[in-house]
Amino acid sequence: MIHLAGPALLVAVLAGAGVYGVLARRNAVLVLIGAELLLAAAGVLFVLGTALPAGGLGSPGLLDPTISARPADPLVSGQVATIMLITIAAAEIGLALAVVLLLFRARATSDLTAVRELGEASPSYTDHPDAVTGGSLP
Amino acid sequence: MTALAALLTIVLPATFAALGIAVSGRSPVWAREWGRTGALGCLVAALVEAHGVLTSGQQARIGLLGSADLGSVTVALDLRADQLSALVAVAVAVVALCVQVYSGGYLAPDQSVAPDQAGAPDQPGATDQPASAYAEAPTRYPAYAATVSLFTAAMMLVVHADDLLLLLIGWEVMGACSYLLVGHHSERASARAAAVKAFLVTRVGDLGVLIAVVVLLAGGGTTSISGLIAAADTLPDGTLTAATLLLLAGVAGKSAQFPLHTWLPDAMEGPTPVSALIHAATMVAAGVFLVARLLPLFAAADGALAVAAVIASITMLGAALAALAQDDLKRLLAWSTISQVAYMLAGVAVADSAGAADAAGAADAAAADLAAAGPGILHLLTHAAFKALLFLVAGCVTHLVGSTLFADMGGLRATHPALAGLLGLGLAALAGVPPLGGFWSKEAVLTAAERAAREGAGWPAWLVLGSGLLTALVTGMYAARAYALVALGPPRTAAMHAPDGEAATAHRLPASMIWPLWVLAVPTAVLGLVLLAPPDLLATTHVDPLTAFTGAILSLAGVGWALSAPRLGTADLALALPAGVRGFLRAGYRLDDVQHALVVRPYRALARLIGAGDRDVVDAYPRATVVATRWAGLGLRRLGNGMATSYVGWAVAGALVLGLAGVVLS
Amino acid sequence: MTGGVDLVGPWALAVLVALPLAGALVLLGRGLPARTATRVGVTISGLTLLLALAAAASAAPFAAYPGSRPGLELDLDWIPALGVHLHLGLDGISVPLVLLTALLTLLVCLHLVRVQPDAGRVGGLVACVLAVEGGALGTFLALDLVVFFVAFETVLVPMWFVIARWGDSGQRASTLAGSSRPGGEQARREAANRFVLFTVTGSALMLLGLLLVAMRSGTTDLVLLAQRGGQDLALGVQTVAACLLVAGLAVKAPMFPLHTWLPPAHTIAPTAGSVLLAGVLLKLGTYGLVRVVVPVVPQGLREIAPVLGAFGVAGVLWAGLACFVERDLKRLIALSSVAHMGFVLVGIASMTPEGLQGALFANVAHGLITGLLFLVVGAVKDRHHTAELALLDRNLRDRLPRLGWLLAFGALAGLGLPGLAGFWGELLAIAGAWRSDSAMGAISRPVAVLAAVGTAVAAAYLLRVLRRLWHGPGGAPAAPASLGGPGRFIGDATRHEVVVMMPLVAATVALGVLPAILLEVTGPAVRALLAGAP
Amino acid sequence: MTALDVVFALFASTAAAGALLAVTSRHVVHAALWLVLALGSLAGVYLVLAAEVVALVQVLVYVGAVVVLVLFALMLTRAPIGVRADLDAAPGRRRVAAVAGLATSALIGGTLLAAIGSTAEVPAGDGTASALGSATFTGWVLPFELLSVLLLAALVAAIAISRGRDADTPGLDDLAPGGTADRADPGAGSAAPAPAAAPAPATPAAPSRAVGPDGTS
């Protein structure tokens, strides 16, 4: 028996921190840390979902404590989802770190602000739009 | 029988027009015969119709094109046959037949270079084409003959229409045919310009008819002429006034009345038989016919007839003066047509009150309505005869001398006495010399005007009377002047020689060009006799002896003055005028220039402006869309700056906005 | 009117749409040689015309809902989840346009048998023509908003191909001094893209309007909607829907300030494409106005009728004046379409029986006359390899008499000469505008007078063409020798070309002298359409 | 206020603090270690929420593998030791990021609190291994299998990426000879790439490009 407001607040804080981390960091690895926090927030939310009465956020039990008797969810959906989430996150970070490593080997940096080759304003971006649209209407 | 005949007067020429194009191919001979057959059939039909109408009374409601479901009303597109239509139809058919026959000789199929062409009044660019080029071209005769037939059919449609929509069809088809015929010698720039001008000026006038039809349809709920006449007194005043004034605009355009008359003198660019057709019986007469046909409407509308009278008065005198100064036979005749048509219009315009005085004696109201237009119609008939004669004679003269300029003519009496006699006959009828047809009809108009003036019709009638008397004098002058210049004096040997070098006296005219002249000479001389046993239409048409005497004296004075001019020291009466005045009159008061400055040039400038506006203003918006899209694209491209965190930032922002929207909206 | 002859059943309507589309698929799938492809096209379009005639005969007598059901009706479930029916019907409003479309397609296919564009495979062009026919017939037969929209859009794609692939690449306009128009490949692409972008934008607006109507009234069935006559829609909704629908359809019509896609598209398109564009595509817009806007949102249309009428008459005058200074013959004819469709818009905006009768009549007349003019001008252009008025040889009446007379006939018909088809539509549109106090209000009479003036303006520009091209000194060509030299041979219209054009000439004359043919068919339908409107 | 609440508050505040420090620390390795703290506390949170298996997995995968992986990555990319000012973006950008983070927190927190309500207290569910196991291998077996395929794919992809396919790809030439990637232990699960990339012997070549400040330390 715990108060649900706590986990909710924790989710909010983790998500906010994750967003900040993703947006404010330059180092690719640190950006990934932010992403991990976002995923973690999602995981907490899933587990919180298991703790909710049947029907989730739409359940009448949320507002009326007398209907708090919760029929057991035989599939324990929230927790299973969290586990899967963690797995996916692990796969993701493995891949991401591989990319970061490759980037570092190619560019000798893991600073994301220094890698802009795919940007439209890059001097190496040669596909001029006029070549695509074929000029203007008369 | 009458109904069938009336129908045939329209259908026969139209059918033969189509046959002439479709069956004859490029063979001019076949085309000529198709055209003549059509005209002959038309004449027979018209005579049968006239006989039927005169013996068994009028007939209305002859179906032609079924009915038209206009939405809120269904109009029956009917024809009618009454004395008015029958008499005019006979005149039209006679003239058309003469013209078809005459054209066969005049525009002889084997003679590719038309006589008009050689010495046409040289305007700048008039001969921008070597004559040989036209000689190579296939003959245009089949199309010409078919167009004349179609022209006849259209006029017959106007004459017989009992529905304004039908009348409008004939009315405008005539305009199109005149365009085709005036532009017959289209290798000449002047002919092209004249054709376009003829069509456009009359079309502008026709807008009046078009809108008048719409107004009457909206106000009266029908376009049937008999229906409208029956309802003339119950129609709203505004509808009546608007419709009649608009119709007058169309009349002014078609009948070449001031200020829309400028096309007619230029239309002399057409072959001479065409001029005879247009001037004598068809196109210009259609305007007067329309007013006569709708006279009860005009009479019921305030001021419409007064306006018509003013227009007619201005036109008849002004055109007569302009005719006096012309140095070209055909243009003189053209101006005389304008003047004479104004007589008819004046006769119709003043006729109402005169006719009303006698209405009590007429059989019924409808007949009285028709009879009121009698003087004008009588003049229409006599004019048809003598003007056709004059033009055809002029064509012969042109054929002989190869020019239409007075400067190239002279001494016709010595070389071709019979032709000169016919010319004299026509000109005397034009001048109103008794006892020719023209005299009676003109005096009938003047009598009607005088009676109307005396019976309190007010100043328009007086204006018509004064203007008419003055015009009689001037008409006598220019008619006699024309005769003096063409028939009297020594032959111009240089010009009277035929192209092949034969002596002028030996140059023979084809028979097909001669006998239409004699046919037309008969009514020219004796049409006045119709007043001895007038049909109902002319029952109220009288000639007042005193007025007739005054008119005749004035005409003869003009004739005498002009004929005696050589003894006064100048062969040409016009030379007695100051040079400036002469030039001004010859140019038709320079109204062409005014028209050019006030209408044509502004129109061209406006068209250029709009043309540029279409490209640079209206189309600028789509093109601006292109530019704007490209700039927007360039701007949005800057968002794709290659920085991964920036992309994530936009994604987060989007998610936040969506989430917020969800919260707010729920 | 007497009852119809039951030649065919309702299934004919579905076949009418499916037959040309199937033909198009067959032609696309098999790379047939040009001869066979055109034969197939002629066969299929001929069958379609016959079927259309039979269906029209079976659908008589013509009345329209809501007074009675359409003469021939087919109603099948299509998308049950959305309540969309495959609802086709043939009534007095659609019959003339269905027949016109079938006739023009047949003529175009016949024309393609001998006269083929310079570039591209003819089989594909015939396929596109048939696809356009199928889409257009679908539009004219649709009695369901969704079906209407789908068919309306179906026409777009093949038309894009027609312009972009078989368009006129030999434009010489750019060689003329002072002409800034590009030529060749770029011109084709631009014209095609412009056409698609304009019309797709219009379609998007129209779709919004259709959705609004469908959402608010809960049905997409046109018969139901027309029976309600907008009673279940609030005035505001009606006005917004009418604005969207009119704006969308006016692009296609096209209405005056939205018309700039039309001249390049018509000019660049091959003759077949030009004829279809003028005769069929433009009709989709005005047909939509009559079929959807007038009965479904009558009060909304009444609210915006003054604007529609003003733009319509502005188009009449604007395009007429622009034609007067236009230098390219084909472009001139194209611009004149804007003027003619201006009359149609004025007629629709009047919301009177006369006006609608005039609009429907002018629709058909324009298809016939402008179709004929495009065929003639296309023939002239093929022979001179340019349509620039200044470069074309003059004196057509002597040099090429048959073409010359056809051109003169077309021009006279185009300027609304009474006795030919063009006249009645214009007269009735003007008459409708004059009486349309209830819809157009204070501007009704000025609009009528200005529209009448437009007929004189039309005379001015068409006579200019005739004076320049038909008349004129003959013999040596006015064009410089570099454009082919004086010694080249230019033949008159072939028998084949004359045969293709003659039905249009005959129909123009027939409708001109016997307007009852068409007016009797549309009359009851028009009254029924307006009866729903309060 | 039960004991569980207190325990939860302890774990939660630790996790929150760790998370905040992890994203704000100017020391790379510290950031990684703060992440360890945060994720580890989350395991406690899961325990309090009666999700024992989840807590265990969290410890195993996150604290045990992922963080180690992160630390390896930091080492391999020559991450600087000590406080650095260039880890964060420009101040303006940081402010934007802070606003975005706060907005996210506010939105999520507000929504959740409004939805869950402050009064509802529900018994924590049971997250025993047997319950989860039966659930996973009955109802969730298909997603579970799909997940395993995903993991396998990620494993292969990580190897492929870090090893490269072409010999001429810049930077891959500098991998240790003998293919260290071959020594990757499939059984190590998601941690597989880490040993693959372990001993990078030399400074990356980065031809024709100035070596950034991160690479020079």
Side-chain angles (χ1 to χ4, degrees):
Chain A
M1 291 285 284
I2 65 162
H3 205 290
L4 280 181
L9 275 177
L10 179 61
V11 167
V13 170
L14 284 176
V19 166
Y20 176 82
V22 167
L23 293 185
R25 297 294 199 169
R26 284 166 71 179
N27 190 306
V29 180
L30 298 184
V31 169
L32 283 177
I33 287 178
E36 288 305 314
L37 287 175
L38 271 171
L39 288 170
V44 175
L45 201 50
F46 273 128
V47 172
L48 180 59
T50 304
L52 286 179
L57 290 179
S59 159
L62 283 181
L63 297 177
D64 183 2
T66 56
I67 327 175
S68 63
R70 172 176 68 88
D73 178 7
L75 289 180
V76 210
S77 313
Q79 297 191 13
V80 174
T82 310
I83 290 176
M84 291 184 174
L85 178 86
I86 289 170
T87 321
I88 292 172
E92 169 256 330
I93 198 150
L95 268 180
L97 286 176
V99 172
V100 170
L101 272 184
L102 192 63
L103 172 70
F104 183 77
R105 291 202 177 123
R107 293 297 173 76
T109 178
S110 55
D111 184 358
L112 286 180
T113 57
V115 188
R116 296 196 177 191
E117 254 55 29
L118 291 179
E120 293 278 325
S122 158
S124 63
Y125 189 85
T126 53
D127 202 359
H128 193 263
D130 273 357
V132 177
T133 63
S136 60
L137 294 174
Chain B
M1 192 65 191
T2 313
L4 181 65
L7 208 55
L8 281 180
T9 56
I10 302 163
V11 174
L12 272 182
T15 313
F16 278 86
L19 282 177
I21 288 281
V23 179
S24 63
R26 290 197 185 183
S27 160
V29 179
W30 271 99
R32 190 179 65 199
E33 297 314 319
W34 283 121
R36 286 176 178 174
T37 315
L40 188 63
C42 180
L43 177 60
V44 171
L47 286 173
V48 170
E49 180 201 347
H51 179 260
V53 167
L54 289 176
T55 54
S56 58
Q58 64 175 4
Q59 181 153 2
R61 302 192 62 78
I62 306 166
L64 175 63
L65 302 182
S67 58
D69 182 352
L70 302 188
S72 50
V73 292
T74 298
V75 297
L77 301 175
D78 279 340
L79 299 177
R80 67 191 283 166
D82 56 12
Q83 291 197 358
L84 179 60
S85 58
L87 287 181
V88 179
V90 170
V92 171
V94 170
V95 174
L97 179 60
C98 289
V99 165
Q100 283 281 16
V101 172
Y102 184 91
S103 303
Y106 185 79
L107 292 172
D110 55 344
Q111 184 185 353
S112 343
V113 180
D116 304 49
Q117 190 189 2
D122 274 335
Q123 297 178 10
T127 52
D128 54 354
Q129 176 65 28
S132 61
Y134 177 47
E136 290 164 10
T139 177
R140 298 164 179 167
Y141 196 83
Y144 168 86
T147 314
V148 171
S149 294
L150 185 61
F151 205 131
T152 314
M155 184 63 191
M156 288 297 185
L157 184 58
V158 169
V159 168
H160 289 101
D162 191 32
D163 190 286
L164 281 176
L165 291 173
L166 275 187
L167 190 140
L168 189 55
I169 291 180
W171 186 265
E172 291 235 21
V173 169
M174 273 200 294
C177 288
S178 76
Y179 166 78
L180 296 173
L181 291 174
V182 171
H184 183 72
H185 296 306
S186 63
E187 62 280 356
R188 292 206 304 257
S190 53
R192 297 196 291 271
V196 171
K197 187 175 176 183
F199 194 93
L200 281 186
V201 173
T202 54
R203 176 106 191 184
V204 168
D206 293 348
L207 292 186
V209 184
L210 183 69
I211 301 176
V213 169
V214 167
V215 170
L216 287 173
L217 185 64
T222 180
T223 57
S224 159
I225 289 175
S226 40
L228 285 171
I229 287 175
D233 296 330
T234 57
L235 287 176
D237 281 346
T239 302
L240 260 184
T241 308
T244 47
L245 290 180
L246 287 164
L247 283 172
L248 270 184
V251 168
K254 221 54 156 188
S255 290
Q257 299 295 293
F258 176 82
L260 296 179
H261 64 277
T262 52
W263 63 271
L264 192 66
D266 286 356
M268 289 302 109
E269 288 292 336
T272 307
V274 168
S275 305
L277 188 66
I278 293 179
H279 289 233
T282 54
M283 197 156 145
V284 292
V288 178
F289 179 86
L290 175 65
V291 181
R293 177 60 95 197
L294 291 173
L295 196 57
L297 281 188
F298 281 88
D302 293 334
L305 284 178
V307 172
V310 170
I311 290 177
S313 304
I314 294 174
T315 312
M316 69 169 83
L317 188 55
L321 286 171
L324 189 58
Q326 296 303 315
D327 53 8
D328 180 294
L329 177 56
K330 285 186 69 180
R331 287 181 80 85
L332 181 141
L333 291 177
W335 281 105
S336 85
T337 302
I338 299 176
S339 174
Q340 296 299 311
V341 172
Y343 258 113
M344 305 171 203
L345 186 59
V348 176
V350 299
D352 177 54
S353 46
D358 294 316
D364 58 298
D369 285 336
L370 280 183
I377 295 301
L378 181 60
H379 196 56
L380 193 159
L381 298 176
T382 56
H383 177 260
F386 70 69
K387 189 50 65 67
L389 173 64
L390 278 175
F391 266 112
L392 296 187
V393 170
C396 290
V397 174
T398 311
H399 199 75
L400 291 172
V401 304
S403 162
T404 58
L405 292 180
F406 283 132
D408 297 327
M409 299 174 183
L412 189 69
R413 205 171 56 167
T415 57
H416 294 77
L419 201 57
L422 288 170
L423 177 69
L425 181 71
L427 286 172
L430 167 65
V433 172
L436 301 175
F439 166 77
W440 299 105
S441 59
K442 185 181 296 183
E443 301 313 326
V445 170
L446 291 178
T447 302
E450 188 213 350
R451 191 185 295 184
R454 285 185 191 285
E455 285 168 7
W459 56 269
W462 286 111
L463 185 64
V464 167
L465 185 60
S467 179
L469 287 173
L470 273 180
T471 309
L473 176 68
V474 183
T475 308
M477 285 164 69
Y478 71 72
R481 168 177 173 258
Y483 186 73
L485 290 177
V486 175
L488 303 181
R492 306 289 165 103
T493 46
M496 290 296 276
H497 280 303
D500 55 0
E502 278 182 89
T505 46
H507 187 65
R508 296 180 60 87
L509 293 163
S512 62
M513 288 175 67
I514 295 297
W515 74 256
L517 305 182
W518 294 107
V519 168
L520 287 169
V522 175
T524 304
V526 302
L527 197 57
L529 293 179
V530 75
L531 286 180
L532 293 180
D536 288 347
L537 175 65
L538 302 175
T540 63
T541 306
H542 298 298
V543 177
D544 182 56
L546 185 63
T547 316
F549 187 67
T550 315
I553 290 291
L554 283 172
S555 300
L556 289 173
V559 171
W561 193 355
L563 286 182
S564 60
R567 275 172 227 140
L568 297 177
T570 165
D572 187 350
L573 186 66
L575 293 181
L577 294 169
V581 174
R582 199 170 74 233
F584 185 65
L585 289 178
R586 191 169 55 210
Y589 308 93
R590 305 211 185 286
L591 279 178
D592 276 340
D593 298 340
V594 173
Q595 199 179 44
H596 196 73
L598 287 187
V599 180
V600 179
R601 258 190 289 170
Y603 183 82
R604 286 205 178 126
L606 183 63
R608 273 196 296 275
L609 187 70
I610 297 262
D614 197 48
R615 192 177 57 241
D616 296 333
V617 178
V618 175
D619 198 34
Y621 292 105
R623 285 194 307 244
T625 316
V626 175
V627 175
T629 310
R630 176 176 297 168
W631 279 105
L634 287 177
L636 287 174
R637 269 179 67 186
R638 304 192 77 79
L639 295 181
N641 55 5
M643 234 165 81
T645 48
S646 168
Y647 298 162
V648 177
W650 287 112
V652 168
L656 282 177
V657 168
L658 283 181
L660 203 62
V663 168
V664 170
L665 289 182
S666 68
Chain C
M1 277 184 95
T2 54
V5 197
D6 282 334
L7 291 176
V8 290
W11 51 266
L13 301 180
V15 178
L16 262 183
V17 182
L19 185 62
L21 290 177
L25 278 181
V26 166
L27 284 172
L28 273 187
R30 309 280 305 272
L32 295 172
R35 254 177 108 77
T36 325
T38 48
R39 297 264 159 89
V40 170
V42 169
T43 312
I44 288 181
S45 51
L47 284 177
T48 312
L49 179 60
L50 287 179
L51 191 59
L53 284 169
S58 310
F62 298 107
Y65 59 84
S68 61
R69 308 292 296 184
L72 211 55
E73 197 179 1
L74 179 73
D75 199 349
L76 303 172
D77 267 356
W78 186 23
I79 312 175
L82 297 178
V84 177
H85 288 233
L86 189 65
H87 193 178
L88 304 175
L90 195 62
D91 66 359
I93 295 169
S94 45
V95 160
L97 290 170
V98 165
L99 291 179
L100 175 73
T101 304
L103 173 68
L104 283 178
T105 314
L106 175 60
L107 294 182
V108 161
C109 287
L110 268 177
H111 188 251
L112 283 173
V113 170
R114 291 279 175 83
V115 187
Q116 292 165 353
D118 303 334
R121 226 161 37 82
V122 179
L125 181 54
V126 176
C128 285
V129 166
L130 289 178
V132 168
E133 182 187 25
L137 288 178
T139 313
F140 293 143
L141 294 174
L143 286 182
D144 186 287
L145 292 181
V146 176
V147 180
F148 177 82
F149 184 78
V150 169
F152 193 89
E153 292 299 292
T154 306
V155 179
L156 197 60
V157 178
M159 210 60 222
W160 184 86
F161 279 109
V162 169
I163 299 173
R165 276 193 62 187
W166 290 277
D168 174 26
S169 56
Q171 276 285 81
R172 259 208 229 122
S174 53
T175 60
L176 194 70
S179 173
S180 59
R181 289 176 199 131
E185 178 65 34
Q186 193 192 349
R188 272 198 323 216
R189 204 171 46 208
E190 277 173 15
N193 287 348
R194 189 178 257 258
F195 162 72
V196 162
L197 289 177
F198 264 86
T199 44
V200 162
T201 310
S203 302
L205 292 175
M206 183 180 82
L207 182 60
L208 286 181
L210 294 180
L211 286 178
L212 181 60
V213 169
M215 291 296 149
R216 289 305 170 102
S217 50
T219 177
T220 59
D221 191 278
L222 264 170
V223 177
L224 269 181
L225 284 169
Q227 274 163 356
R228 294 181 196 165
Q231 305 285 352
D232 55 341
L233 297 176
L235 183 60
V237 175
Q238 282 208 31
T239 310
V240 173
C243 279
L244 289 168
L245 289 171
V246 167
L249 291 164
V251 173
K252 200 88 154 196
M255 195 170 73
F256 150 56
L258 308 173
H259 67 273
T260 52
W261 64 268
L262 184 138
H266 281 61
T267 310
I268 301 292
T271 302
S274 302
V275 173
L276 283 185
L277 270 171
V280 176
L281 250 76
L282 303 193
K283 308 297 170 288
L284 298 180
T286 44
Y287 175 81
L289 286 176
V290 176
R291 172 62 85 196
V292 177
V293 184
V294 172
V296 175
V297 284
Q299 282 142 330
L301 182 57
R302 233 170 249 284
E303 293 290 312
I304 61 168
V307 181
L308 183 61
F311 275 131
V313 79
V316 170
L317 294 176
W318 180 279
L321 283 163
C323 278
F324 194 72
V325 292
E326 181 53 57
R327 287 183 298 201
D328 185 288
L329 182 57
K330 224 175 157 185
R331 221 179 132 81
L332 189 150
I333 305 296
L335 261 176
S336 79
S337 290
V338 179
H340 285 131
M341 299 316 277
F343 279 105
V344 179
L345 293 174
V346 167
I348 294 171
S350 76
M351 299 278 285
T352 56
E354 281 91 349
L356 282 185
Q357 282 277 64
L360 292 172
F361 203 104
N363 241 355
V364 175
H366 171 260
L368 295 172
I369 295 169
T370 310
L372 172 66
L373 277 174
F374 271 121
L375 284 172
V376 175
V377 170
V380 170
K381 188 178 180 182
D382 287 345
R383 284 162 173 75
H384 295 79
H385 302 288
T386 179
E388 199 72 37
L389 268 177
L391 299 181
L392 289 172
D393 293 355
R394 310 183 63 177
N395 197 15
L396 275 187
R397 65 183 299 198
D398 286 334
R399 285 191 310 110
L400 314 172
R402 283 197 290 265
L403 265 187
W405 277 102
L406 285 167
L407 176 70
F409 178 85
L412 287 177
L415 58 81
L417 187 73
L420 297 177
F423 165 69
W424 295 99
E426 293 177 7
L427 172 85
L428 288 173
I430 294 169
W434 183 271
R435 291 192 51 198
S436 129
D437 299 334
S438 61
M440 281 203 267
I443 69 160
S444 59
R445 294 190 175 182
V447 163
V449 171
L450 287 175
V453 171
T455 63
V457 172
Y461 68 75
L462 284 168
L463 290 187
R464 168 177 166 259
V465 171
L466 287 189
R467 181 177 176 178
R468 167 84 223 173
L469 198 59
W470 186 59
H471 279 164
S482 63
L483 295 178
R488 73 204 149 118
F489 172 76
I490 292 183
D492 199 358
T494 60
R495 192 181 300 268
H496 167 257
E497 280 172 326
V498 173
V499 164
V500 169
M501 294 180 204
M502 266 307 147
L504 296 177
V505 174
T508 307
V509 174
L511 284 186
V513 296
L514 293 173
I517 301 173
L518 192 49
L519 291 176
E520 298 284 330
V521 170
T522 54
V526 161
R527 278 187 291 276
L529 275 190
L530 286 175
Chain D
M1 195 75 177
T2 62
L4 269 180
D5 274 334
V6 176
V7 177
F8 175 82
L10 279 176
F11 279 126
S13 52
T14 314
L20 287 174
L21 286 169
V23 294
T24 52
S25 165
R26 299 201 166 183
H27 198 294
V28 195
V29 181
H30 287 187
L33 294 176
W34 286 125
L35 182 65
V36 173
L37 179 63
L39 296 178
S41 312
L42 268 188
V45 167
Y46 289 144
L47 270 180
V48 174
L49 289 173
E52 299 118 23
V53 181
V54 178
L56 279 174
V57 172
Q58 174 85 357
V59 170
L60 273 176
V61 176
Y62 263 122
V63 185
V66 172
V67 175
V68 170
L69 199 57
V70 169
L71 285 174
F72 267 117
L74 287 177
M75 280 156 50
L76 287 173
T77 56
R78 305 275 191 281
I81 309 296
V83 176
R84 301 284 303 205
D86 59 356
L87 296 179
D88 286 342
R93 208 176 175 82
R94 275 216 306 278
R95 269 194 291 278
V96 173
V99 170
L102 286 177
T104 311
S105 294
L107 190 65
I108 292 178
T111 313
L112 282 179
L113 286 183
I116 291 171
S118 51
T119 56
E121 289 193 19
V122 290
D126 55 347
T128 60
S130 65
L132 263 183
S134 57
T136 304
F137 291 104
T138 54
W140 296 102
V141 68
L142 265 180
F144 180 81
E145 291 301 331
L146 279 177
L147 203 60
S148 63
V149 173
L150 176 77
L151 265 183
L152 184 65
L155 175 73
V156 173
I159 294 169
I161 287 175
S162 48
R163 187 181 175 203
R165 197 170 291 171
D166 300 324
D168 57 355
T169 304
L172 295 185
D173 295 342
D174 297 335
L175 283 174
T180 49
D182 292 346
R183 294 202 303 268
D185 181 11
S190 59
T203 305
S208 78
R209 193 176 296 271
V211 174
D214 289 353
T216 52
S217 63

